[in-house]
Structures are given as C-alpha cells and as structure tokens.
Amino acid sequence: LNEVQLENLLPRTLTSNAESDDCSDDDGNDSAPAKPMSYSEVATTGTALETDESKSKRRKLEEEVRKAETTLQHDMERVGRLVDALQSEFPPMRSCYDTYADLDPSYRTEQWAGEPIYTNYSLWKGTLDYIFYSPAGLSTREVLSLPVEEQLKPGIPNDTFASDHVALVARFDLA
C-alpha cells in the first residue's frame, strides 16, 4: 500500500470532541475546530504530550543508534579486511565430505548436492559438522559412510548412536 491508501484505511486522530460542533473550551472561549491528524503527520511531528525531557531522551537514543550503526559498519569492514588477509596468506580449505552425495546418491537433493544432508539428527536436522583440510598437502582417501535415515529416526541419541551428531571420519593421503 502506498501512503495515501494507508491513510484512507486508518482512522484519523482528532483533538476535539467529534460529536460536538461547538468548538469552545471549558472556559467558554471559542477556538478553531481541531484539524484531524493522520498517523504519518503524528509520526513526523511528534505528539503534543512529548516533553522537552522525552525529546532529549529520544534524540540521545537516535544518536546512540547512529553511533552503533557506524561502529557496526566499521567492524564489518575490518572483518572483511581480516578475511581477505587470511585467505591470501593461507591456502583454501576443503571439506572431505563435500562430494559425499557422489558416494551415496540418497544424500542428493535439489537443494543439497554435495555435503551430507545432516550430521545432527534431533529436533533440528541439518549439517553442523565438517572435517576441513588443505588440499595443498593432503588428499582424501576415504570417508566413513553415514547411517541411513531410518537408523536415526525418530532422532539421536538412541540405542544405536550415543550422540546427537553423526560420526565423521576420514583417511588422508599425503599429497
């Protein structure tokens, strides 16, 4: 919805008694009829009840939010620079189970073509565990087969598996 459509859907805020056309205050003084304010007008102008103290607190809070956003941006840039430095200094890592679906096609889905679908099978099911290695110095010779899902149902740990994580084991050859 655009702002005009939204304003047409929302009720208007009135500062006078809507049932009375008499625009006099308690002392009998005539005053101009109150103009209805839309929600967007109230949001941009604030309310008449906002005190100087609350305005000051709001401004301080807005300033703290700006500072936090600036700090976050600087931190994200710093992390990016550190990651770039680490990647340039160290060779890339690889997961030894990254082609597991080639060994066991039951682990291949439209969304998941390489790593096991799960290494944790409890209330939450998904891949949490990896064995990373540097392909510059090692090559994977073999990996331990993972249990079929039926063995894990309704969840692990169970009588067969003592942990809620599936065991990952790999044998490597020196490259």
Side-chain angles (χ1 to χ4, degrees):
L1 296 174
N2 64 34
E3 187 174 339
V4 172
Q5 292 169 322
L6 184 62
E7 293 298 332
N8 289 333
L9 290 174
L10 296 172
R12 299 223 172 261
T13 303
L14 298 174
T15 56
S16 68
N17 183 351
E19 297 174 3
S20 169
D21 287 340
D22 180 13
C23 295
S24 60
D25 59 21
D26 292 340
D27 297 329
N29 299 326
D30 286 338
S31 61
K35 175 186 166 240
M37 290 182 70
S38 69
Y39 282 98
S40 61
E41 290 170 323
V42 170
T44 53
T45 61
T47 64
L49 300 176
E50 188 174 32
T51 65
D52 288 341
E53 182 182 351
S54 63
K55 285 179 188 177
S56 175
K57 287 180 181 179
R58 182 175 43 83
R59 282 190 211 108
K60 286 179 183 176
L61 180 61
E62 289 168 350
E63 180 60 28
E64 290 300 316
V65 167
R66 279 192 292 279
K67 286 180 185 177
E69 288 171 346
T70 301
T71 301
L72 176 63
Q73 182 63 34
H74 290 301
D75 288 350
M76 294 300 291
E77 291 169 3
R78 184 174 181 214
V79 167
R81 287 190 304 271
L82 289 171
V83 167
D84 290 344
L86 286 172
Q87 287 177 338
S88 67
E89 189 171 328
F90 297 101
M93 303 296 279
R94 182 171 175 188
S95 168
C96 60
Y97 276 84
D98 64 357
T99 58
Y100 188 76
D102 293 339
L103 302 171
D104 185 350
S106 70
Y107 277 82
R108 186 177 305 283
T109 68
E110 286 183 30
Q111 298 173 334
W112 213 255
E115 296 286 343
I117 298 169
Y118 47 79
T119 60
N120 179 270
Y121 201 94
S122 56
L123 294 175
W124 182 85
K125 297 161 185 61
T127 301
L128 292 172
D129 306 296
Y130 300 87
I131 299 175
F132 290 110
Y133 69 99
S134 172
L138 299 171
S139 63
T140 304
R141 181 189 314 169
E142 59 187 342
V143 295
L144 179 67
S145 295
L146 300 176
V148 295
E149 190 171 9
E150 291 302 316
Q151 293 176 307
L152 305 175
K153 288 183 178 178
I156 52 176
N158 61 24
D159 291 340
T160 307
F161 301 98
S163 174
D164 62 339
H165 294 260
V166 175
L168 300 181
V169 178
R171 226 177 243 169
F172 296 97
D173 288 325
L174 294 175

